mmCIF file of all heavy atoms in Angstrom:
data_model
loop_
_atom_site.group_PDB
_atom_site.id
_atom_site.type_symbol
_atom_site.label_atom_id
_atom_site.label_comp_id
_atom_site.label_asym_id
_atom_site.label_seq_id
_atom_site.Cartn_x
_atom_site.Cartn_y
_atom_site.Cartn_z
ATOM 1 N N MET A 598 163.633 -85.743 81.694
ATOM 2 C CA MET A 598 163.373 -86.072 83.111
ATOM 3 C C MET A 598 162.310 -85.125 83.654
ATOM 4 O O MET A 598 162.397 -83.912 83.493
ATOM 5 C CB MET A 598 164.670 -85.925 83.924
ATOM 6 C CG MET A 598 164.545 -86.390 85.355
ATOM 7 S SD MET A 598 166.159 -86.387 86.189
ATOM 8 C CE MET A 598 165.650 -87.008 87.790
ATOM 9 N N TYR A 599 161.313 -85.685 84.309
ATOM 10 C CA TYR A 599 160.192 -84.890 84.774
ATOM 11 C C TYR A 599 160.555 -84.095 86.007
ATOM 12 O O TYR A 599 161.318 -84.533 86.872
ATOM 13 C CB TYR A 599 158.993 -85.794 85.088
ATOM 14 C CG TYR A 599 158.403 -86.459 83.871
ATOM 15 C CD1 TYR A 599 158.225 -87.839 83.851
ATOM 16 C CD2 TYR A 599 158.041 -85.717 82.762
ATOM 17 C CE1 TYR A 599 157.682 -88.464 82.734
ATOM 18 C CE2 TYR A 599 157.493 -86.329 81.651
ATOM 19 C CZ TYR A 599 157.328 -87.700 81.644
ATOM 20 O OH TYR A 599 156.794 -88.307 80.542
ATOM 21 N N ASP A 600 159.937 -82.940 86.100
ATOM 22 C CA ASP A 600 160.060 -82.107 87.298
ATOM 23 C C ASP A 600 159.196 -82.718 88.391
ATOM 24 O O ASP A 600 158.015 -82.967 88.194
ATOM 25 C CB ASP A 600 159.570 -80.689 86.976
ATOM 26 C CG ASP A 600 159.799 -79.744 88.132
ATOM 27 O OD1 ASP A 600 160.322 -80.204 89.164
ATOM 28 O OD2 ASP A 600 159.440 -78.565 87.993
ATOM 29 N N VAL A 601 159.795 -83.003 89.574
ATOM 30 C CA VAL A 601 159.050 -83.650 90.653
ATOM 31 C C VAL A 601 158.405 -82.644 91.587
ATOM 32 O O VAL A 601 157.739 -83.020 92.543
ATOM 33 C CB VAL A 601 159.969 -84.595 91.470
ATOM 34 C CG1 VAL A 601 160.466 -85.711 90.594
ATOM 35 C CG2 VAL A 601 161.135 -83.828 92.092
ATOM 36 N N VAL A 602 158.621 -81.357 91.345
ATOM 37 C CA VAL A 602 158.001 -80.350 92.193
ATOM 38 C C VAL A 602 156.545 -80.180 91.772
ATOM 39 O O VAL A 602 156.258 -79.917 90.612
ATOM 40 C CB VAL A 602 158.736 -78.999 92.076
ATOM 41 C CG1 VAL A 602 158.040 -77.942 92.909
ATOM 42 C CG2 VAL A 602 160.182 -79.153 92.486
ATOM 43 N N PRO A 603 155.598 -80.392 92.699
ATOM 44 C CA PRO A 603 154.186 -80.287 92.310
ATOM 45 C C PRO A 603 153.816 -78.865 91.928
ATOM 46 O O PRO A 603 154.156 -77.908 92.617
ATOM 47 C CB PRO A 603 153.444 -80.736 93.564
ATOM 48 C CG PRO A 603 154.392 -80.515 94.690
ATOM 49 C CD PRO A 603 155.752 -80.710 94.128
ATOM 50 N N ILE A 604 153.123 -78.743 90.784
ATOM 51 C CA ILE A 604 152.642 -77.443 90.330
ATOM 52 C C ILE A 604 151.165 -77.369 90.665
ATOM 53 O O ILE A 604 150.364 -78.186 90.211
ATOM 54 C CB ILE A 604 152.865 -77.268 88.815
ATOM 55 C CG1 ILE A 604 154.363 -77.396 88.484
ATOM 56 C CG2 ILE A 604 152.317 -75.936 88.350
ATOM 57 C CD1 ILE A 604 154.662 -77.360 87.007
ATOM 58 N N ALA A 605 150.784 -76.401 91.473
ATOM 59 C CA ALA A 605 149.397 -76.262 91.894
ATOM 60 C C ALA A 605 149.173 -74.823 92.321
ATOM 61 O O ALA A 605 150.112 -74.023 92.437
ATOM 62 C CB ALA A 605 149.089 -77.217 93.048
ATOM 63 N N SER A 606 147.923 -74.482 92.554
ATOM 64 C CA SER A 606 147.617 -73.145 93.060
ATOM 65 C C SER A 606 148.191 -73.004 94.467
ATOM 66 O O SER A 606 148.406 -74.003 95.174
ATOM 67 C CB SER A 606 146.109 -72.921 93.081
ATOM 68 O OG SER A 606 145.498 -73.769 94.052
ATOM 69 N N THR A 607 148.424 -71.780 94.885
ATOM 70 C CA THR A 607 148.982 -71.550 96.223
ATOM 71 C C THR A 607 148.099 -72.132 97.321
ATOM 72 O O THR A 607 148.614 -72.785 98.242
ATOM 73 C CB THR A 607 149.202 -70.042 96.450
ATOM 74 O OG1 THR A 607 150.100 -69.542 95.441
ATOM 75 C CG2 THR A 607 149.804 -69.785 97.830
ATOM 76 N N PRO A 608 146.764 -71.938 97.279
ATOM 77 C CA PRO A 608 145.919 -72.559 98.312
ATOM 78 C C PRO A 608 146.056 -74.078 98.359
ATOM 79 O O PRO A 608 146.105 -74.671 99.438
ATOM 80 C CB PRO A 608 144.498 -72.125 97.916
ATOM 81 C CG PRO A 608 144.689 -70.848 97.179
ATOM 82 C CD PRO A 608 145.962 -71.039 96.411
ATOM 83 N N ASP A 609 146.126 -74.723 97.182
ATOM 84 C CA ASP A 609 146.240 -76.184 97.168
ATOM 85 C C ASP A 609 147.577 -76.643 97.740
ATOM 86 O O ASP A 609 147.658 -77.683 98.405
ATOM 87 C CB ASP A 609 146.061 -76.718 95.749
ATOM 88 C CG ASP A 609 144.601 -76.747 95.319
ATOM 89 O OD1 ASP A 609 143.733 -76.546 96.193
ATOM 90 O OD2 ASP A 609 144.338 -76.936 94.113
ATOM 91 N N VAL A 610 148.632 -75.901 97.476
ATOM 92 C CA VAL A 610 149.942 -76.246 98.051
ATOM 93 C C VAL A 610 149.894 -76.111 99.575
ATOM 94 O O VAL A 610 150.384 -76.977 100.306
ATOM 95 C CB VAL A 610 151.056 -75.356 97.463
ATOM 96 C CG1 VAL A 610 152.363 -75.571 98.220
ATOM 97 C CG2 VAL A 610 151.254 -75.659 95.980
ATOM 98 N N LEU A 611 149.281 -75.035 100.061
ATOM 99 C CA LEU A 611 149.190 -74.823 101.502
ATOM 100 C C LEU A 611 148.345 -75.897 102.178
ATOM 101 O O LEU A 611 148.568 -76.226 103.344
ATOM 102 C CB LEU A 611 148.615 -73.429 101.789
ATOM 103 C CG LEU A 611 149.512 -72.242 101.413
ATOM 104 C CD1 LEU A 611 148.778 -70.922 101.628
ATOM 105 C CD2 LEU A 611 150.798 -72.264 102.227
ATOM 106 N N ARG A 612 147.377 -76.437 101.441
ATOM 107 C CA ARG A 612 146.524 -77.476 102.020
ATOM 108 C C ARG A 612 147.302 -78.749 102.355
ATOM 109 O O ARG A 612 146.875 -79.549 103.182
ATOM 110 C CB ARG A 612 145.378 -77.812 101.055
ATOM 111 C CG ARG A 612 144.298 -76.747 100.992
ATOM 112 C CD ARG A 612 143.129 -77.175 100.106
ATOM 113 N NE ARG A 612 142.034 -76.218 100.221
ATOM 114 C CZ ARG A 612 141.835 -75.188 99.394
ATOM 115 N NH1 ARG A 612 142.668 -75.003 98.372
ATOM 116 N NH2 ARG A 612 140.831 -74.356 99.584
ATOM 117 N N LEU A 613 148.442 -78.947 101.721
ATOM 118 C CA LEU A 613 149.231 -80.154 101.957
ATOM 119 C C LEU A 613 149.794 -80.215 103.375
ATOM 120 O O LEU A 613 150.257 -81.274 103.804
ATOM 121 C CB LEU A 613 150.379 -80.237 100.938
ATOM 122 C CG LEU A 613 149.956 -80.504 99.490
ATOM 123 C CD1 LEU A 613 151.174 -80.492 98.584
ATOM 124 C CD2 LEU A 613 149.207 -81.825 99.375
ATOM 125 N N VAL A 614 149.747 -79.099 104.103
ATOM 126 C CA VAL A 614 150.199 -79.125 105.499
ATOM 127 C C VAL A 614 149.327 -80.076 106.313
ATOM 128 O O VAL A 614 149.748 -80.567 107.376
ATOM 129 C CB VAL A 614 150.178 -77.707 106.103
ATOM 130 C CG1 VAL A 614 148.753 -77.245 106.382
ATOM 131 C CG2 VAL A 614 151.000 -77.655 107.389
ATOM 132 N N ALA A 615 148.131 -80.369 105.819
ATOM 133 C CA ALA A 615 147.238 -81.286 106.534
ATOM 134 C C ALA A 615 147.811 -82.698 106.602
ATOM 135 O O ALA A 615 147.516 -83.444 107.544
ATOM 136 C CB ALA A 615 145.870 -81.315 105.843
ATOM 137 N N VAL A 616 148.624 -83.085 105.630
ATOM 138 C CA VAL A 616 149.146 -84.455 105.591
ATOM 139 C C VAL A 616 150.027 -84.755 106.806
ATOM 140 O O VAL A 616 149.763 -85.721 107.536
ATOM 141 C CB VAL A 616 149.888 -84.723 104.273
ATOM 142 C CG1 VAL A 616 150.524 -86.115 104.289
ATOM 143 C CG2 VAL A 616 148.938 -84.590 103.085
ATOM 144 N N PRO A 617 151.085 -83.970 107.081
ATOM 145 C CA PRO A 617 151.880 -84.270 108.278
ATOM 146 C C PRO A 617 151.107 -84.083 109.579
ATOM 147 O O PRO A 617 151.334 -84.807 110.543
ATOM 148 C CB PRO A 617 153.065 -83.304 108.176
ATOM 149 C CG PRO A 617 152.611 -82.209 107.267
ATOM 150 C CD PRO A 617 151.694 -82.862 106.302
ATOM 151 N N VAL A 618 150.191 -83.112 109.620
ATOM 152 C CA VAL A 618 149.402 -82.891 110.839
ATOM 153 C C VAL A 618 148.521 -84.103 111.129
ATOM 154 O O VAL A 618 148.468 -84.602 112.265
ATOM 155 C CB VAL A 618 148.533 -81.617 110.719
ATOM 156 C CG1 VAL A 618 147.574 -81.521 111.902
ATOM 157 C CG2 VAL A 618 149.410 -80.381 110.650
ATOM 158 N N PHE A 619 147.843 -84.620 110.106
ATOM 159 C CA PHE A 619 146.979 -85.778 110.300
ATOM 160 C C PHE A 619 147.787 -87.046 110.559
ATOM 161 O O PHE A 619 147.325 -87.941 111.287
ATOM 162 C CB PHE A 619 146.047 -85.956 109.101
ATOM 163 C CG PHE A 619 144.771 -85.173 109.213
ATOM 164 C CD1 PHE A 619 144.743 -83.807 108.955
ATOM 165 C CD2 PHE A 619 143.596 -85.791 109.588
ATOM 166 C CE1 PHE A 619 143.573 -83.074 109.073
ATOM 167 C CE2 PHE A 619 142.413 -85.076 109.705
ATOM 168 C CZ PHE A 619 142.402 -83.712 109.455
ATOM 169 N N ALA A 620 148.969 -87.146 109.972
ATOM 170 C CA ALA A 620 149.835 -88.299 110.253
ATOM 171 C C ALA A 620 150.225 -88.310 111.727
ATOM 172 O O ALA A 620 150.150 -89.348 112.402
ATOM 173 C CB ALA A 620 151.079 -88.255 109.371
ATOM 174 N N TRP A 621 150.630 -87.142 112.230
ATOM 175 C CA TRP A 621 151.006 -87.037 113.653
ATOM 176 C C TRP A 621 149.800 -87.335 114.550
ATOM 177 O O TRP A 621 149.925 -88.057 115.546
ATOM 178 C CB TRP A 621 151.520 -85.629 113.939
ATOM 179 C CG TRP A 621 151.805 -85.396 115.385
ATOM 180 C CD1 TRP A 621 152.947 -85.669 116.074
ATOM 181 C CD2 TRP A 621 150.896 -84.827 116.355
ATOM 182 N NE1 TRP A 621 152.823 -85.317 117.399
ATOM 183 C CE2 TRP A 621 151.576 -84.803 117.600
ATOM 184 C CE3 TRP A 621 149.596 -84.341 116.288
ATOM 185 C CZ2 TRP A 621 150.978 -84.306 118.760
ATOM 186 C CZ3 TRP A 621 148.999 -83.859 117.443
ATOM 187 C CH2 TRP A 621 149.687 -83.847 118.663
ATOM 188 N N ALA A 622 148.642 -86.789 114.202
ATOM 189 C CA ALA A 622 147.441 -86.991 115.016
ATOM 190 C C ALA A 622 147.032 -88.457 115.047
ATOM 191 O O ALA A 622 146.619 -88.979 116.094
ATOM 192 C CB ALA A 622 146.290 -86.135 114.475
ATOM 193 N N ALA A 623 147.150 -89.144 113.899
ATOM 194 C CA ALA A 623 146.777 -90.555 113.842
ATOM 195 C C ALA A 623 147.696 -91.398 114.728
ATOM 196 O O ALA A 623 147.231 -92.266 115.474
ATOM 197 C CB ALA A 623 146.828 -91.055 112.397
ATOM 198 N N VAL A 624 149.008 -91.131 114.654
ATOM 199 C CA VAL A 624 149.967 -91.880 115.470
ATOM 200 C C VAL A 624 149.722 -91.610 116.950
ATOM 201 O O VAL A 624 149.716 -92.532 117.779
ATOM 202 C CB VAL A 624 151.412 -91.511 115.086
ATOM 203 C CG1 VAL A 624 152.408 -92.110 116.078
ATOM 204 C CG2 VAL A 624 151.723 -91.989 113.676
ATOM 205 N N ARG A 625 149.512 -90.354 117.294
ATOM 206 C CA ARG A 625 149.284 -90.009 118.697
ATOM 207 C C ARG A 625 147.978 -90.612 119.215
ATOM 208 O O ARG A 625 147.903 -91.066 120.369
ATOM 209 C CB ARG A 625 149.253 -88.493 118.872
ATOM 210 C CG ARG A 625 149.021 -88.060 120.325
ATOM 211 C CD ARG A 625 149.224 -86.583 120.528
ATOM 212 N NE ARG A 625 148.916 -86.205 121.901
ATOM 213 C CZ ARG A 625 149.716 -86.374 122.940
ATOM 214 N NH1 ARG A 625 150.897 -86.950 122.751
ATOM 215 N NH2 ARG A 625 149.365 -86.001 124.149
ATOM 216 N N ASP A 626 146.953 -90.645 118.373
ATOM 217 C CA ASP A 626 145.674 -91.208 118.796
ATOM 218 C C ASP A 626 145.794 -92.708 119.063
ATOM 219 O O ASP A 626 145.170 -93.237 119.975
ATOM 220 C CB ASP A 626 144.612 -90.950 117.731
ATOM 221 C CG ASP A 626 143.215 -90.817 118.331
ATOM 222 O OD1 ASP A 626 143.108 -90.736 119.566
ATOM 223 O OD2 ASP A 626 142.236 -90.789 117.571
ATOM 224 N N VAL A 627 146.610 -93.386 118.255
ATOM 225 C CA VAL A 627 146.831 -94.811 118.475
ATOM 226 C C VAL A 627 147.552 -95.035 119.799
ATOM 227 O O VAL A 627 147.223 -95.945 120.566
ATOM 228 C CB VAL A 627 147.640 -95.422 117.315
ATOM 229 C CG1 VAL A 627 148.117 -96.830 117.667
ATOM 230 C CG2 VAL A 627 146.803 -95.467 116.043
ATOM 231 N N LYS A 628 148.549 -94.189 120.094
ATOM 232 C CA LYS A 628 149.372 -94.382 121.283
ATOM 233 C C LYS A 628 148.694 -93.926 122.564
ATOM 234 O O LYS A 628 148.856 -94.537 123.616
ATOM 235 C CB LYS A 628 150.700 -93.633 121.125
ATOM 236 C CG LYS A 628 151.628 -94.239 120.072
ATOM 237 C CD LYS A 628 152.940 -93.484 120.023
ATOM 238 C CE LYS A 628 153.920 -94.131 119.049
ATOM 239 N NZ LYS A 628 155.211 -93.395 119.003
ATOM 240 N N THR A 629 147.935 -92.831 122.497
ATOM 241 C CA THR A 629 147.404 -92.234 123.729
ATOM 242 C C THR A 629 145.887 -92.134 123.770
ATOM 243 O O THR A 629 145.316 -91.929 124.845
ATOM 244 C CB THR A 629 147.969 -90.819 123.930
ATOM 245 O OG1 THR A 629 147.440 -89.934 122.933
ATOM 246 C CG2 THR A 629 149.497 -90.824 123.843
ATOM 247 N N ARG A 630 145.219 -92.244 122.633
ATOM 248 C CA ARG A 630 143.770 -92.042 122.529
ATOM 249 C C ARG A 630 143.369 -90.641 122.995
ATOM 250 O O ARG A 630 142.243 -90.412 123.410
ATOM 251 C CB ARG A 630 142.991 -93.073 123.356
ATOM 252 C CG ARG A 630 143.118 -94.499 122.879
ATOM 253 C CD ARG A 630 142.627 -94.698 121.451
ATOM 254 N NE ARG A 630 142.380 -96.089 121.139
ATOM 255 C CZ ARG A 630 143.303 -96.966 120.748
ATOM 256 N NH1 ARG A 630 144.552 -96.561 120.632
ATOM 257 N NH2 ARG A 630 142.984 -98.221 120.483
ATOM 258 N N ARG A 631 144.288 -89.712 122.930
ATOM 259 C CA ARG A 631 144.007 -88.348 123.349
ATOM 260 C C ARG A 631 144.598 -87.376 122.326
ATOM 261 O O ARG A 631 145.788 -87.428 122.026
ATOM 262 C CB ARG A 631 144.616 -88.035 124.724
ATOM 263 C CG ARG A 631 144.182 -88.947 125.865
ATOM 264 C CD ARG A 631 142.711 -88.795 126.180
ATOM 265 N NE ARG A 631 142.317 -89.531 127.359
ATOM 266 C CZ ARG A 631 142.020 -90.824 127.390
ATOM 267 N NH1 ARG A 631 142.104 -91.546 126.280
ATOM 268 N NH2 ARG A 631 141.651 -91.423 128.512
ATOM 269 N N ILE A 632 143.748 -86.481 121.787
ATOM 270 C CA ILE A 632 144.195 -85.436 120.869
ATOM 271 C C ILE A 632 143.674 -84.110 121.397
ATOM 272 O O ILE A 632 142.462 -83.929 121.538
ATOM 273 C CB ILE A 632 143.686 -85.654 119.428
ATOM 274 C CG1 ILE A 632 144.175 -86.998 118.875
ATOM 275 C CG2 ILE A 632 144.127 -84.516 118.520
ATOM 276 C CD1 ILE A 632 145.656 -87.066 118.656
ATOM 277 N N SER A 633 144.575 -83.197 121.683
ATOM 278 C CA SER A 633 144.171 -81.900 122.191
ATOM 279 C C SER A 633 143.425 -81.111 121.121
ATOM 280 O O SER A 633 143.784 -81.148 119.932
ATOM 281 C CB SER A 633 145.400 -81.110 122.655
ATOM 282 O OG SER A 633 145.045 -79.785 122.988
ATOM 283 N N SER A 634 142.385 -80.412 121.535
ATOM 284 C CA SER A 634 141.614 -79.584 120.594
ATOM 285 C C SER A 634 142.468 -78.491 119.973
ATOM 286 O O SER A 634 142.158 -77.995 118.881
ATOM 287 C CB SER A 634 140.415 -78.962 121.315
ATOM 288 O OG SER A 634 139.529 -79.956 121.776
ATOM 289 N N SER A 635 143.543 -78.112 120.669
ATOM 290 C CA SER A 635 144.418 -77.049 120.158
ATOM 291 C C SER A 635 145.098 -77.447 118.852
ATOM 292 O O SER A 635 145.565 -76.584 118.101
ATOM 293 C CB SER A 635 145.475 -76.689 121.202
ATOM 294 O OG SER A 635 146.295 -77.813 121.503
ATOM 295 N N VAL A 636 145.159 -78.757 118.570
ATOM 296 C CA VAL A 636 145.771 -79.211 117.320
ATOM 297 C C VAL A 636 145.006 -78.686 116.123
ATOM 298 O O VAL A 636 145.586 -78.342 115.084
ATOM 299 C CB VAL A 636 145.814 -80.759 117.285
ATOM 300 C CG1 VAL A 636 146.263 -81.265 115.919
ATOM 301 C CG2 VAL A 636 146.717 -81.288 118.384
ATOM 302 N N TRP A 637 143.671 -78.604 116.258
ATOM 303 C CA TRP A 637 142.835 -78.264 115.115
ATOM 304 C C TRP A 637 142.651 -76.757 114.938
ATOM 305 O O TRP A 637 142.174 -76.320 113.885
ATOM 306 C CB TRP A 637 141.465 -78.927 115.265
ATOM 307 C CG TRP A 637 141.557 -80.380 115.579
ATOM 308 C CD1 TRP A 637 141.132 -81.010 116.708
ATOM 309 C CD2 TRP A 637 142.126 -81.410 114.756
ATOM 310 N NE1 TRP A 637 141.389 -82.357 116.646
ATOM 311 C CE2 TRP A 637 141.999 -82.632 115.453
ATOM 312 C CE3 TRP A 637 142.736 -81.408 113.483
ATOM 313 C CZ2 TRP A 637 142.464 -83.831 114.932
ATOM 314 C CZ3 TRP A 637 143.196 -82.614 112.968
ATOM 315 C CH2 TRP A 637 143.059 -83.801 113.684
ATOM 316 N N VAL A 638 143.017 -75.961 115.938
ATOM 317 C CA VAL A 638 142.796 -74.512 115.858
ATOM 318 C C VAL A 638 143.577 -73.874 114.715
ATOM 319 O O VAL A 638 142.993 -73.180 113.854
ATOM 320 C CB VAL A 638 143.108 -73.831 117.204
ATOM 321 C CG1 VAL A 638 143.027 -72.311 117.060
ATOM 322 C CG2 VAL A 638 142.145 -74.319 118.285
ATOM 323 N N PRO A 639 144.920 -74.052 114.636
ATOM 324 C CA PRO A 639 145.651 -73.417 113.525
ATOM 325 C C PRO A 639 145.243 -73.960 112.167
ATOM 326 O O PRO A 639 145.193 -73.212 111.175
ATOM 327 C CB PRO A 639 147.118 -73.731 113.843
ATOM 328 C CG PRO A 639 147.092 -74.882 114.783
ATOM 329 C CD PRO A 639 145.840 -74.752 115.562
ATOM 330 N N LEU A 640 144.923 -75.266 112.104
ATOM 331 C CA LEU A 640 144.509 -75.846 110.829
ATOM 332 C C LEU A 640 143.146 -75.304 110.412
ATOM 333 O O LEU A 640 142.893 -75.071 109.225
ATOM 334 C CB LEU A 640 144.472 -77.368 110.943
ATOM 335 C CG LEU A 640 144.616 -78.165 109.646
ATOM 336 C CD1 LEU A 640 145.896 -77.784 108.908
ATOM 337 C CD2 LEU A 640 144.608 -79.663 109.933
ATOM 338 N N SER A 641 142.269 -75.060 111.381
ATOM 339 C CA SER A 641 140.959 -74.473 111.086
ATOM 340 C C SER A 641 141.111 -73.041 110.583
ATOM 341 O O SER A 641 140.407 -72.615 109.652
ATOM 342 C CB SER A 641 140.074 -74.485 112.334
ATOM 343 O OG SER A 641 139.835 -75.798 112.774
#
């Protein structure tokens, strides 16, 4: 049985935080057409 835990470098693992952030931003943009610039500060 395969291990389902992704093996990657630490930076690449940390980069995956972009997936939930962009998912939230996409949903919010559809609903409100407004995304605060503060969303991108910690990700930057």
Side-chain angles (χ1 to χ4, degrees):
M598 187 173 181
Y599 293 127
D600 186 359
V601 297
V602 177
I604 301 175
S606 67
T607 301
D609 282 349
V610 171
L611 292 175
R612 286 185 172 94
L613 291 177
V614 74
V616 175
V618 172
F619 273 78
W621 175 86
V624 171
R625 180 170 177 79
D626 210 10
V627 169
K628 291 183 176 180
T629 69
R630 294 300 197 276
R631 303 294 187 277
I632 301 293
S633 172
S634 297
S635 61
V636 172
W637 310 116
V638 174
L640 204 56
S641 298

